[in-house]
Amino acid sequence: MQRRYTSLAAAGIVAALTLTLSGCGGGQGQVTLKLVAADYGDGSGPGSRQYWSELTRAFEKKHPDIKIDVDVYSWKEVDKKVADLVRKGQAPDLAQIGAYVDYAADGKLYSADELLSIPVQADLQPALAEAGEVGRVQYGIPFAASTRRLFYNKKLFAEAGITEAPKSWDDVAEDAELLKKRGVKTPYALPLGPEETQAETLNWLISGGGGYTDEIGKYAIDSPANVKTFTWLRDELVGKGLTGGDPAGLNRADAFAGFADGDVGMLNGHPALIKQAEAKGIDYGTADLPGRKGPATSTLGVSDWMMAFKQNGHRAQAGKFLDYVYDDANVLSFSRDFGLLPVTTSGAQKMAGDHRFGHLQDFVGPLRDAQFYPANKTSWPEVAKSVKSQMGAAVGPKGDPSSTLADLQNTADAADTAGS
């Protein structure tokens, strides 16, 4: 089994907050937190700007000695923005981005227990808190999370005579055959294009009893279980024309759009697909990921991270703000606005009993046992890049999963050695 580590893309908000002493008229000890946040919005509304505006206004009312100035950047910009600030010696006090490990490895971050109050830190979901650890010390504070489930089009299933969601790989193949005979354009969407191949790959590795790493966190990409998984995909789905085309050319966004348009019978998806499908009036269901012989015992989890830099020395003020950010009301407000999962145990419990969250509730339970990217490894970005460029071809007509996975293992081992 793969050790639980995280990284969302799942999809995201990123924040960098710079604490600076305010000028005249602010009173002694007053500071300003510069918040640089990534936008989780879909372009149809004010997005993250409104969320942070309302939250910071309420925080400032309770804490007049701390002011917060917010700038919002797209996910395409925000990681580089923070990296550039750090490189220039102008590290933000707080950043909410996709990866924390490089900064932790360089000794630039406060640990979570130096920032959060004991009740707030204890309330973080254990799997996510563990995923933020480097050397058993937590530096990455989970901010937003998602898991994966199987989405299926109920109307297409009924027209093909399928009465329930598939539970095993054999069920997936049989149902895909029925959908194909019914004329469904893409019976099973398998997005192994360059956008998010690392996620789709891990979905399948998990359901086949493998993963990117073993129980002690060592890369095990070319394990026998992983080779069997991708050999099955090549022979039983792609090779039989059940994926509607070449998976190497299909990105996640296009697969999701196809499902929302009614052209896809089933696919692995995260909570953002809920809103997309419902907006198009798709009658859909979700189910546990099918496994080799039955439902998979785990699923992919993805998280974005909050972290605090030491450079400006405003640990106490940053910690006070973070305690407020992780209050249940704020956590659930963010989840409701952007279709993501609460990272706190109390927030997850409240979501599970609230009908307003609809199908989103189904994604909360799997977070407890989810497996994550090995984001605590400085080598992971290089490995993920290689996975994106190679895994799609492994299931093509000339694909050789064993050889591809062996090449990726060599890349991972070399990157891991260089990083250490």
Side-chain angles (χ1 to χ4, degrees):
M1 291 293 293
Q2 178 186 7
R3 187 178 174 183
R4 299 169 188 168
Y5 294 114
T6 302
S7 113
L8 217 208
I13 263 184
V14 173
L17 300 91
T18 301
L19 287 169
T20 57
L21 290 174
S22 65
C24 298
Q28 270 194 326
Q30 189 179 71
V31 297
T32 296
L33 285 75
K34 179 69 175 180
L35 169 59
V36 181
D39 194 359
Y40 277 106
D42 59 8
S44 61
S48 300
R49 286 180 177 82
Q50 180 171 316
Y51 173 78
W52 285 112
S53 176
E54 293 175 355
L55 184 148
T56 55
R57 190 183 307 120
F59 175 80
E60 290 172 353
K61 189 173 182 179
K62 291 186 175 183
H63 304 279
D65 58 327
I66 303 175
K67 300 298 180 183
I68 303 172
D69 181 25
V70 184
D71 290 327
V72 176
Y73 291 85
S74 73
W75 265 106
K76 294 179 180 179
E77 301 173 277
V78 71
D79 286 288
K80 186 178 185 301
K81 177 70 174 179
V82 173
D84 287 345
L85 290 171
V86 173
R87 189 163 44 249
K88 293 175 182 177
Q90 302 170 359
D93 289 283
L94 285 148
Q96 194 278 295
I97 50 181
Y100 65 87
V101 67
D102 284 337
Y103 301 124
D106 289 341
K108 297 182 182 297
L109 302 181
Y110 287 115
S111 62
D113 59 7
E114 292 177 301
L115 295 162
L116 302 175
S117 64
I118 291 174
V120 171
Q121 187 175 8
D123 195 31
L124 295 174
Q125 295 207 46
L128 291 170
E130 180 186 340
E133 294 179 357
V134 176
R136 299 187 181 280
V137 177
Q138 184 185 355
Y139 295 98
I141 305 171
F143 180 75
S146 71
T147 55
R148 302 297 191 267
R149 287 173 62 80
L150 180 79
F151 282 72
Y152 61 97
N153 185 309
K154 289 184 176 181
K155 178 182 178 182
L156 297 180
F157 267 46
E159 291 174 348
I162 306 168
T163 58
E164 61 180 3
K167 294 181 174 62
S168 68
W169 289 357
D170 286 344
D171 293 341
V172 169
E174 291 173 7
D175 291 349
E177 286 280 9
L178 292 172
L179 291 166
K180 182 181 179 181
K181 290 178 180 177
R182 184 66 184 177
V184 174
K185 183 177 179 180
T186 305
Y188 190 97
L190 184 66
L192 292 175
E195 180 189 6
E196 204 184 40
T197 315
Q198 79 281 7
E200 186 68 17
T201 295
L202 186 52
N203 276 323
W204 282 95
L205 298 185
I206 291 170
S207 66
Y212 286 127
T213 59
D214 59 21
E215 292 179 349
I216 61 173
K218 183 179 179 181
Y219 283 115
I221 298 173
D222 64 346
S223 69
N226 292 346
V227 172
K228 287 181 181 178
T229 293
F230 267 77
T231 301
W232 186 90
L233 280 174
R234 181 195 63 188
D235 295 344
E236 303 301 325
L237 279 189
V238 182
K240 294 184 178 179
L242 302 178
T243 57
D246 181 10
L250 181 65
N251 282 325
R252 184 200 67 191
D254 295 326
F256 279 19
F259 187 82
D261 288 339
D263 294 329
V264 173
M266 51 184 158
L267 78 168
N268 293 327
H270 59 61
L273 184 53
I274 293 173
K275 184 178 180 180
Q276 197 170 345
E278 290 178 350
K280 291 289 190 75
I282 297 296
D283 185 14
Y284 69 92
T286 72
D288 292 336
L289 297 183
R292 190 178 296 276
K293 297 298 181 182
T297 58
S298 184
T299 186
L300 167 65
V302 178
S303 175
D304 297 325
W305 300 101
M306 182 74 78
M307 64 212 70
F309 287 86
K310 296 178 178 178
Q311 181 172 316
N312 298 317
H314 295 108
R315 178 181 62 82
Q317 295 93 337
K320 187 176 292 186
F321 179 67
L322 289 178
D323 275 356
Y324 188 78
V325 168
Y326 287 93
D327 178 80
D328 274 351
N330 295 324
V331 169
L332 289 172
S333 175
F334 180 81
S335 296
R336 183 167 51 249
D337 289 349
F338 300 105
L340 293 165
L341 305 181
V343 297
T344 60
T345 299
S346 58
Q349 290 171 343
K350 290 179 179 179
M351 175 181 280
D354 191 336
H355 66 87
R356 292 176 299 171
F357 289 97
H359 281 290
L360 188 61
Q361 298 176 84
D362 299 334
F363 291 80
V364 176
L367 193 58
R368 290 191 298 269
D369 299 310
Q371 295 184 36
F372 302 94
Y373 305 130
N376 72 329
K377 290 177 172 287
T378 56
S379 56
W380 171 242
E382 182 177 344
V383 175
K385 183 178 179 181
S386 297
V387 171
K388 288 181 179 183
S389 66
Q390 297 181 48
M391 284 313 301
V395 296
K398 298 180 180 179
D400 183 349
S402 180
S403 177
T404 298
L405 292 171
D407 288 344
L408 289 170
Q409 181 70 39
N410 290 334
T411 297
D413 288 341
D416 223 15
T417 300
S420 61

